[in-house]
Amino acid sequence: PLDLDGDARRRLRDGIERRGLALAALAGYTDFCAGHDRPDVPLRDMQIMYVVELAKLTRQLGGNLVRIFTGFEKPGVPYDTQWNWCVDAIRECARRAADEGVVVGVQNHHDVAGHYQSMLDFLRDVGHPNCRACFDAWSVALHGEDLGVAARALAPRTAYTTIADYVKRP
């Protein structure tokens, strides 16, 4: 967002539209567990502001989805504490992104709520209609779960699916 002023955003949107394309999602990189060792620095608030700026950029580029992550587990911090940090922050992101007409999509990855069943629990705890899942088969494969079962379970809450040509190796 820092590199694109208003003119650059308009040129980028025009270029997307001229090519007959659409912005599927804007990828945001968040870690709402970061900064636990420095509670005097409002890092979660700063990341929420980052997601809000991504939501504005997404809307200006003609899109409606920002993909984010929860938080990377921090040793020595209780899991439920980290879970709650992520739930609270992402609920706030969803509320503020809704003002821009943009959905916040949480990707199941290798962070808090990475397992597809945990992602369902996480979305329930966030409890905001503007917070959806960004389904990633990679995480399901790492957990050794059935891809079809996982996809069907998350389908009603899924805004975006990452598809890649993964090669499973021992």
Side-chain angles (χ1 to χ4, degrees), residues 72-84:
F72 298 98
E73 291 183 49
K74 305 301 182 221
V77 179
Y79 187 79
D80 62 331
T81 297
Q82 296 177 70
W83 179 277
N84 290 331

Side-chain angles (χ1 to χ4, degrees), residues 7-29:
D7 288 337
R9 292 173 187 216
R10 279 188 291 282
R11 285 192 309 273
L12 182 53
R13 181 176 179 153
D14 290 346
I16 290 168
E17 291 173 352
R18 257 193 331 274
R19 289 165 178 82
L21 301 172
L23 179 65
L26 195 65
Y29 292 86

Side-chain angles (χ1 to χ4, degrees), residues 54-170:
L54 291 176
K56 290 176 183 177
L57 176 57
T58 298
R59 179 185 42 79
Q60 291 167 351
L61 296 179
N64 65 359
L65 177 64
V66 173
R67 188 273 290 143
I68 62 173
F69 296 112
T70 55
F72 298 98
E73 291 183 49
K74 305 301 182 221
V77 179
Y79 187 79
D80 62 331
T81 297
Q82 296 177 70
W83 179 277
N84 290 331
W85 288 339
C86 295
V87 165
D88 293 345
I90 290 176
R91 183 183 301 126
E92 185 68 12
C93 288
R95 185 183 72 76
R96 291 176 180 266
D99 294 340
E100 298 297 329
V102 173
V103 170
V104 171
V106 182
Q107 186 168 342
N108 60 310
H109 218 258
H110 54 282
D111 42 358
V112 171
H115 189 278
Y116 80 92
Q117 290 171 326
S118 295
M119 180 58 66
L120 287 167
D121 293 338
F122 186 83
L123 294 172
R124 182 200 65 232
D125 285 0
V126 170
H128 196 286
N130 202 51
C131 180
R132 309 285 305 269
C134 285
F135 183 75
D136 190 345
W138 174 80
S139 178
V140 176
L142 287 181
H143 287 109
E145 299 289 343
D146 182 281
L147 179 58
V149 169
R152 282 188 291 280
L154 278 169
R157 301 295 307 270
T158 298
Y160 178 91
T161 300
T162 298
I163 299 173
D165 188 14
Y166 298 117
V167 176
K168 191 171 183 178
R169 294 184 176 149

